[in-house]
């Protein structure tokens, strides 16, 4: 089996890359260890930057997003029972974000790939990337998924792209890589609830008891989070306890109220920052979580993955058109500039809004001073709005 670009992983990064390559006339094969139903239902990110929205539209994957997604022109910051809205278009020259779940992005891209793209092989586990330093890399894989015992086969490629996450085989095939990471001593207890959102935009709340986030998936489904210790078992919290704690942390001095409803899903998300350098070895390229992870506070994970594959698709199209490897050679450095800005922003948001275990009163006051700075300085508020709506791609 042979193709130009072998893609490991059918998350949003791998699927979007396949679509961009198809539109550029470059063939690819996507290998995914899970079945289609799993890929289309795993809950992940839900905030799309302006640049991500633009890319999906240009790729032909924006029709349902534009019909069902929720455009947001700002976020609300809460602290000391106060509320402050950050107006994105007014601060960024018209930019906004879109609430549209990663599950829906994957569904749209899968439908396009199966309709007119290259092979998309579910339940096909990549076992190893071989010969990455040569001009004929290959992916050794097995049919039957991650738990399968099917026959092994080989996909020969001109290029291999690892979109298979932190635990995938692609990252392990980059020798002498350098890693930078930080693990936070807290996580997010997240719920999905069948109730209309209690606010029309996202609410980020700093509270002495811990951070809280009010988000949504649709006009009738709320997505909410509580800061909890990293080792928390979601099952230890009753639905009523979760709603009570959300109410405490989101409280304000006005008449705002939290709507409650049936909880349909409950889980704990760990918080970490991670970067792998370089993002390339020979003809193997890393994209998305295979190369970097951010805490979800800044809503950057999915958007960083999109930036990676847009940069790579442009480089591969340039190579096809001109025979030059210039953009491919610059891939890692180009992506890492954006990655580190997103890491910085996500770290700043996380440390500003979360109650650190053992924090001193001095550190608590610094958090409040940082929030006061944003709400009283147009320059500081503009910096937050610009970062939240997205750094330039490429």
């Amino acid at each position: 089996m042979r193709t130009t670009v072998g893609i490991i992983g059918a998350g949003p990064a791998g699927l979007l890359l396949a679509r961009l390559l198809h539109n550029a006339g470059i063939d690819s094969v996507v290998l995914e260890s899970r079945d289609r139903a799993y890929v289309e239902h795993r809950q992940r990110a839900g905030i799309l930057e302006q640049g991500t929205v633009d890319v999906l539209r240009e790729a032909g994957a924006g029709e349902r997003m534009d019909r069902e997604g929720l455009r947001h022109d700002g976020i609300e910051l809460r602290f000391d029972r106060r509320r402050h809205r950050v107006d994105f278009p007014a601060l960024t020259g018209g930019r906004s974000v879109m609430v549209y779940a990663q599950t829906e992005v994957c569904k749209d891209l899968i439908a396009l790939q199966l309709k007119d793209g290259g092979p998309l092989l579910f339940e096909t586990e990549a076992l190893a990337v071989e010969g990455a330093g040569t001009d004929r890399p290959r992916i050794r894989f097995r049919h039957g998924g991650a738990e399968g015992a099917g026959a092994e086969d080989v996909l020969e490629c001109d290029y291999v792209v690892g979109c298979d996450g932190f635990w995938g085989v692609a990252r392990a095939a980059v020798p002498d890589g350098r890693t930078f990471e930080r693990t936070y001593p807290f996580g997010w207890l997240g719920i999905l609830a069948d109730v209309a959102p209690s606010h029309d935009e996202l609410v980020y709340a700093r509270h002495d008891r811990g951070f809280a986030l009010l988000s949504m998936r649709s006009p009738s489904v709320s997505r909410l989070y509580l800061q909890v210790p990293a080792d928390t078992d979601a099952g230890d919290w009753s639905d009523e306890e979760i709603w009570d704690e959300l109410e405490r942390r989101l409280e304000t001095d006005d008449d705002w109220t939290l709507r409650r409803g049936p909880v349909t899903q409950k889980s704990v998300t760990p918080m970490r920052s991670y970067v792998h350098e370089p993002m390339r070895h020979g003809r193997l390229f890393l994209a998305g979580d295979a190369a970097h992870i951010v805490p979800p506070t800044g809503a950057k994970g999915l958007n960083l993955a999109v930036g990676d594959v847009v940069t790579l698709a442009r480089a591969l199209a340039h190579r096809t058109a001109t025979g030059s490897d210039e953009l491919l050679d610059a891939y890692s450095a180009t992506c890492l500039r954006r990655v580190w800005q997103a890491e910085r922003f996500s770290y700043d948001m996380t440390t500003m809004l979360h109650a650190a275990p053992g924090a001193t009163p001095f550190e608590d006051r610094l958090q409040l001073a940082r929030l006061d700075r944003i709400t009283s300085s147009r320059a500081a508020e503009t910096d937050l709005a610009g970062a939240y709506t997205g750094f330039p791609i490429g």
Side-chain angles (χ1 to χ4, degrees):
M1 192 174 183
R2 174 159 186 78
T3 189
T4 301
V5 182
I7 301 171
I8 308 173
L15 292 167
L16 179 58
L17 177 60
R19 180 64 182 176
L20 296 173
L21 294 177
H22 169 77
N23 290 347
I26 301 171
D27 63 291
S28 68
V29 173
V30 183
L31 309 179
E32 168 57 47
S33 64
R34 301 286 190 165
D35 62 26
R36 179 177 179 178
Y38 180 91
V39 173
E40 291 187 339
H41 291 90
R42 54 187 169 195
Q43 291 292 331
R44 294 291 189 272
I47 305 297
L48 308 183
E49 295 175 354
Q50 181 72 65
T52 297
V53 170
D54 294 342
V55 166
L56 290 171
R57 287 172 178 156
E58 292 167 7
E63 180 180 352
R64 194 163 69 94
M65 173 190 69
D66 284 330
R67 186 172 67 250
E68 300 179 10
L70 306 175
R71 172 178 163 145
H72 279 203
D73 287 336
I75 58 173
E76 183 172 286
L77 299 176
R78 293 189 184 180
F79 59 103
D80 277 354
R81 302 174 64 94
R82 296 154 49 194
R83 305 170 63 177
H84 177 83
R85 181 174 185 266
V86 179
D87 186 332
F88 292 157
L91 296 163
T92 64
R95 295 169 66 82
S96 62
V97 297
M98 181 82 76
V99 175
Y100 191 63
Q102 175 175 312
T103 52
E104 306 311 309
V105 173
C106 286
K107 288 175 187 176
D108 296 341
L109 291 169
I110 286 171
L112 287 171
Q113 186 72 6
L114 295 178
K115 177 184 176 184
D116 56 19
L120 168 52
L121 307 180
F122 291 106
E123 298 184 84
T124 303
E125 181 188 11
L127 301 173
V129 177
E130 300 171 342
T134 72
D135 60 0
R136 287 291 183 269
R138 41 191 258 159
I139 305 169
R140 189 158 46 83
F141 66 92
R142 178 174 57 213
H143 299 285
E147 305 300 325
E152 289 192 16
D153 206 341
V154 170
L155 176 62
E156 297 181 347
C157 320
D158 292 333
Y159 304 95
V160 174
V161 185
C163 302
D164 51 344
F166 180 80
W167 300 108
V169 299
R171 188 174 63 90
V174 179
D176 303 322
R178 188 178 181 191
T179 60
F180 306 83
E181 60 185 313
R182 173 176 181 141
T183 300
Y184 299 87
F186 43 76
W188 280 9
L189 172 59
I191 63 168
L192 277 175
D194 285 338
V195 61
S198 302
H199 194 61
D200 56 1
E201 293 176 335
L202 271 69
V203 176
Y204 288 78
R206 185 266 180 202
H207 193 279
D208 290 342
R209 296 175 64 91
F211 170 76
L213 173 63
L214 187 160
S215 182
M216 66 281 294
R217 283 294 178 264
S218 75
S220 61
V221 177
S222 293
R223 182 73 161 155
L224 302 107
Y225 298 92
L226 286 171
Q227 176 189 344
V228 293
D231 59 354
T232 296
D233 182 341
D236 292 340
W237 284 71
S238 71
D239 295 356
E240 185 177 3
E241 287 172 329
I242 292 171
W243 286 117
D244 287 347
E245 191 62 24
L246 284 165
E247 199 165 75
R248 291 187 194 99
R249 298 187 192 183
L250 291 163
E251 62 187 355
T252 62
D253 281 333
D254 58 17
D255 59 357
W256 180 88
T257 58
L258 177 67
R259 298 187 184 116
R260 301 188 180 206
V263 175
T264 60
Q265 188 180 105
K266 191 186 307 182
S267 62
V268 174
T269 300
M271 304 280 282
R272 62 191 304 233
S273 300
Y274 175 87
V275 179
H276 182 284
E277 296 186 5
M279 292 172 57
R280 175 196 181 184
H281 170 63
R283 294 199 171 199
L284 168 63
F285 299 83
L286 304 180
D289 286 358
H292 41 73
I293 295 170
V294 290
T297 326
K300 292 293 165 218
L302 168 60
N303 297 291
L304 276 183
V306 169
D308 293 344
V309 298
V310 169
T311 300
L312 183 55
R314 288 173 180 168
L316 289 167
H318 181 74
R319 173 69 174 79
T320 300
T322 68
S324 170
D325 286 331
E326 178 184 4
L327 297 186
L328 287 172
D329 291 341
Y331 169 76
S332 182
T334 300
C335 289
L336 284 170
R337 282 194 294 272
R338 190 171 190 263
V339 166
W340 277 112
Q341 286 303 315
E343 292 282 356
R344 186 269 307 169
F345 174 69
S346 299
Y347 173 83
D348 286 350
M349 289 283 284
T350 300
T351 56
M352 178 175 66
L353 293 166
H354 289 73
T360 66
F362 178 83
E363 290 167 323
D364 291 340
R365 289 292 188 179
L366 284 181
Q367 283 186 317
L368 294 173
R370 291 163 70 184
L371 285 161
D372 273 327
R373 172 68 176 166
I374 290 168
T375 60
S376 61
S377 164
R378 187 173 178 85
E381 191 178 22
T382 299
D383 183 66
L384 186 152
Y388 198 99
T389 56
F391 301 105
I393 296 175

